[in-house]
Amino acid sequence: MIELDHFIVSARDRQAAARLLAQLLDVPWDAEQFGVFSPVHINRGLTLDFIQTDGPFPVEHFCFRVGDGEFDAILQRIEAAGIAWRSSVRGPVDRQTDTSHGGRGIYWNEPEGHQ
């Protein structure tokens, strides 16, 4: 069996970006690991390792499958943080959920430009 262990995510401020995502998803994070990463611990086997860069961000897409209660809690934290959200990948901010694939889905941009 092959499992994804970690993924490197570019950020202008790795600690701020990691902290924000961890707070939105209500998962743990570390300010520093191996000197260059700020990991967000998505689950027991997966981390998103934020690394600082001044270069352009590559196009990255992360999709998290969560239960209804977790979805509601995450959406409340996104709204409390003042982050605009939408129902389509690149569409307008419509504060709607996408239900076209079963369940509910949303997209948002973090303050430093991650989508």
Side-chain angles (χ1 to χ4, degrees), residues 20-36:
L20 177 60
L21 182 62
Q23 288 171 343
L24 294 175
L25 298 181
D26 193 27
V27 296
W29 75 286
D30 293 313
E32 203 168 285
Q33 184 177 6
F34 306 121
V36 296

Side-chain angles (χ1 to χ4, degrees), residues 43 70 77 102:
N43 57 43
E70 291 167 310
R77 289 189 289 270

